[in-house]
Structures are given as C-alpha cells and as structure tokens.
Amino acid sequence: MKKTVGIIGSIIAIVVVGFGIIKFKEYYENRYVAGDDVFVRIPDSQSVTLDDIVGDDESSLGKGKMYILTGYTEKGDKRDVEFTVYTKNAAELFQPGQYLKVEASDILVLGQKVISESEVPANVLKLLNQ
C-alpha cells in the first residue's frame, strides 16, 4: 500500500514538474523570442523633441521619446509596436519619414533599426504609405 502511494505521488510530482517546464517554455518564447519583423514608418507628424519619461509611480526615468507605432509584417499582418528611446540628445531620436525594422516577440520589442525604403518589402511599403 505504501509503495503504491509513493508511486502515485511520484507520478503526480513528475506531471506537475513537466507542466511547469512546458508553461515556462511558452512564457519565455512568447516574451523573449523574436517572431516576424515589423516594418514601420515614423509619421511625418512625429515630434523630435525630448520628453520626460516617467515610470508607473511617476518617478523620472530620464529623457527620451516613447513611440507607439502601427506597422506590418512581411506577410502584411498589421501590428502595433511600442518602445522607448532613452537619450539626452534629440538628434538620436527617429526622424519623421524614417523606416524602421522592429524585432518583436509576441509581448516585447526586442530591438529596432533604421532601414532604407528599398529594404522594406514592396507589399508592406504600399501599406505604410497609404
């Protein structure tokens, strides 16, 4: 009887640990593994002045610019991306009309870089310039 209870307990423990590992893997991949790149264009109306960036508790996080942009994947899927550039130099902010290739997971923006118009897929370029 004790042996049966021990075996059942071991099986339950293995199932619980296995489930935890699967959930952790899903969390990690959704948060930190890049999916499709998102192509965006900085709107012509985008300000290029530095803003005070504040945290949820209203504490100062420094100077920079928060970007909330709509872009498209190479497949043409619409996607909103949000990221903040921290800098004390306004010249380092993205300029109106620039194209960016944004590397994003399902949850986070992992990085972004300026690209030329010719590097934007033709189908995406049409969507961005509508």
Side-chain angles (χ1 to χ4, degrees):
M1 181 70 166
K2 286 183 181 182
K3 191 173 189 178
T4 303
V5 171
I7 291 173
I8 291 172
S10 296
I11 291 171
I12 290 172
I14 290 170
V15 168
V16 168
V17 169
F19 182 75
I21 290 171
I22 290 169
K23 285 297 179 188
F24 176 77
K25 183 177 183 278
E26 287 175 7
Y27 168 82
Y28 181 84
E29 288 178 353
N30 286 337
R31 189 164 181 90
Y32 299 111
V33 176
D36 293 332
D37 290 328
V38 180
F39 297 89
V40 299
R41 182 179 183 277
I42 303 296
D44 293 331
S45 60
Q46 179 71 50
S47 164
V48 290
T49 58
L50 294 174
D51 297 329
D52 291 318
I53 307 297
V54 294
D56 292 337
D57 62 355
E58 299 300 318
S59 64
S60 176
L61 300 176
K63 296 279 189 185
K65 178 68 71 183
M66 178 180 235
Y67 295 91
I68 301 171
L69 304 166
T70 299
Y72 298 89
T73 65
E74 197 165 350
K75 298 173 192 168
D77 297 329
K78 189 175 185 179
R79 172 108 189 258
D80 293 328
V81 292
E82 182 177 325
F83 58 90
T84 303
V85 173
Y86 294 94
T87 182
K88 294 179 181 177
N89 182 356
E92 294 176 2
L93 297 176
F94 297 118
Q95 301 300 306
Q98 284 184 318
Y99 293 93
L100 305 180
K101 183 177 184 180
V102 179
E103 183 181 12
S105 70
D106 291 345
I107 299 169
L108 299 173
V109 169
L110 304 171
Q112 62 278 336
K113 70 175 184 172
V114 175
I115 60 172
S116 68
E117 185 175 341
S118 64
E119 294 177 86
V120 180
N123 63 318
V124 174
L125 191 59
K126 287 179 187 176
L127 294 168
L128 291 174
N129 291 325
Q130 288 182 0

